[in-house]
Amino acid sequence: MPQTRQHIQGGSSVRVRHAPGTEQGVRITPEGIERFLSVCRAEGRVEGTLKWYRRGLERLYKDLAEDKTVRHGTLERWRESLLKAGYAASTINSFLSVSNAYLDFVGHREYQLASQLKQEAEVQPELTRTEYLRLLQTARALNRERVYLLVKLFGTTGLTVQELEKVTVEAVREGKLTIQFNRNKQMLRIPEGLQKELLDYAKRSGYLTGPIFLTKDGTPMSRTYVSTIIRQLCTLAKVAEEKGNPRCLKRLYQSTRAGIEDNIALLVEQAHNRLLEQEQLEIGWAEQ
């Protein structure tokens, strides 16, 4: 007769039947993923982290064979397929980390993959301000308002694509939105000019409430979709395609802010030095 093995999956006992000499493995199910995320939420994980957990586990579920079962070697083969698909080492390591956590949760640590990929320093191309303005000019000339607004939003607020769904009519009307950064809440202000453009776009698009940037079927835009339409704009604007992503636009925002802050700090230092020189001339010890 077939042997049976019992293991605990997400807090409920599951009996699995298998033929002698065959490796049963552990089956991944949408219900199991939801139980895992519920426990993580109860333990205090922030929503941004939970979204990343969900993304990794849903990607694993999608890539698994038809039986949706993890066995010895499954995660190693999955890692290789992600590499071939062009995923960054940091992303792959994050996917494996949450998969290992899930396997621990269901009581099957024997199927975990402990080794991490070495992460080489990624050289991120720099988008210049001239190139950024050319992107906006090209989008406006071609009447591509949505990609114009996306480029401007990432380039003037430092928003990440993961937080794009928080750009709602209500938040734009208020002129600010709150995001989660390294477990700390951070407030981003929306420049007044962009605020007016976003509200005009939302009104003409029929968005009276909720997220402004949605696909045709009403779902939030994915990172891949956003990067694709910005890269397409780069081609038309004669800007290197590798610069056409929200990360480069965020770095432009950061470098622009840093440059302005450096200039202000220099002006403050110069003004302070002039004040001290004047006081020295008036009441310096050697001037008496």
Side-chain angles (χ1 to χ4, degrees):
M1 290 183 60
Q3 297 176 348
T4 62
R5 184 179 68 185
Q6 179 171 310
H7 64 275
I8 304 300
Q9 184 165 12
S12 60
S13 178
V14 178
R15 300 189 71 85
V16 181
R17 300 181 66 84
H18 59 97
T22 61
E23 182 185 18
Q24 180 63 37
V26 56
R27 187 166 181 265
I28 308 296
T29 66
E31 295 77 15
I33 292 173
E34 292 302 325
R35 284 195 294 270
F36 171 74
L37 294 174
S38 294
V39 170
C40 289
R41 183 177 288 106
E43 290 176 348
R45 303 291 200 282
V46 298
E47 284 303 314
T49 299
L50 292 172
K51 286 182 180 179
W52 187 255
Y53 285 0
R54 180 183 295 280
R55 182 188 171 201
L57 291 174
E58 288 182 347
R59 179 72 201 198
L60 172 63
Y61 181 81
K62 177 184 176 183
D63 290 346
L64 285 172
E66 189 175 349
D67 63 0
K68 302 301 178 185
T69 300
V70 174
R71 300 180 175 87
H72 286 105
T74 297
L75 292 188
E76 189 171 2
R77 289 189 295 273
W78 184 47
R79 180 177 64 185
E80 294 305 313
S81 71
L82 291 172
L83 276 171
K84 290 179 181 178
Y87 280 83
S90 58
T91 300
I92 296 173
N93 287 338
S94 295
F95 282 178
L96 290 171
S97 178
V98 69
S99 299
N100 285 337
Y102 178 84
L103 290 170
D104 184 36
F105 171 70
V106 297
H108 285 280
R109 298 179 65 181
E110 69 271 23
Y111 300 124
Q112 291 177 337
L113 182 62
S115 59
Q116 296 267 304
L117 291 172
K118 291 183 179 179
Q119 299 181 35
E120 297 180 1
E122 295 183 14
V123 179
Q124 190 71 21
E126 295 283 346
L127 180 71
T128 67
R129 193 141 201 94
T130 300
E131 290 172 328
Y132 161 74
L133 293 175
R134 194 155 72 241
L135 288 175
L136 294 179
Q137 290 166 349
T138 301
R140 190 174 63 175
L142 296 173
N143 199 30
R144 297 192 177 183
E145 186 177 14
R146 185 171 60 174
V147 70
Y148 166 91
L149 291 172
L150 285 169
V151 169
K152 202 168 192 178
L153 180 65
F154 293 125
T156 60
T157 65
L159 186 77
T160 65
V161 71
Q162 289 86 356
E163 305 284 353
L164 185 58
E165 62 185 271
K166 292 186 178 180
V167 182
T168 62
V169 173
E170 293 84 356
V172 174
R173 191 174 290 123
E174 192 176 353
K176 60 185 179 181
L177 57 134
T178 303
I179 64 170
Q180 199 79 25
F181 183 73
N182 289 342
R183 297 191 177 184
N184 296 317
K185 288 187 176 180
Q186 180 180 353
M187 187 180 69
L188 296 183
R189 293 196 175 276
I190 301 173
E192 186 175 340
L194 176 59
Q195 183 183 7
K196 182 179 183 304
E197 290 175 335
L198 286 170
L199 290 175
D200 287 346
Y201 170 77
K203 184 177 180 180
R204 281 185 279 104
S205 301
Y207 300 141
L208 303 179
T209 185
I212 292 176
F213 293 101
L214 300 170
T215 60
K216 290 181 180 179
D217 60 3
T219 59
M221 294 181 182
S222 68
R223 181 179 65 176
T224 301
Y225 178 80
V226 171
S227 294
T228 297
I229 61 176
I230 295 178
R231 280 200 305 271
Q232 291 172 348
L233 179 63
C234 283
T235 301
L236 297 168
K238 293 182 170 36
V239 174
E241 280 192 21
E242 59 266 25
K243 299 181 181 182
N245 57 72
R247 188 184 303 177
C248 282
L249 287 163
K250 180 178 180 178
R251 289 187 64 184
L252 174 66
Y253 163 78
Q254 292 171 331
S255 62
T256 301
R257 295 269 305 187
I260 293 172
E261 289 169 0
D262 287 345
N263 288 336
I264 292 175
L266 178 60
L267 290 174
V268 170
E269 184 68 23
Q270 290 173 343
H272 186 236
N273 286 338
R274 286 196 295 271
L275 174 65
L276 295 179
E277 289 170 2
Q278 183 62 36
E279 291 176 346
Q280 182 67 26
L281 288 174
E282 293 177 359
I283 56 174
W285 186 265
E287 306 302 328
Q288 60 180 330

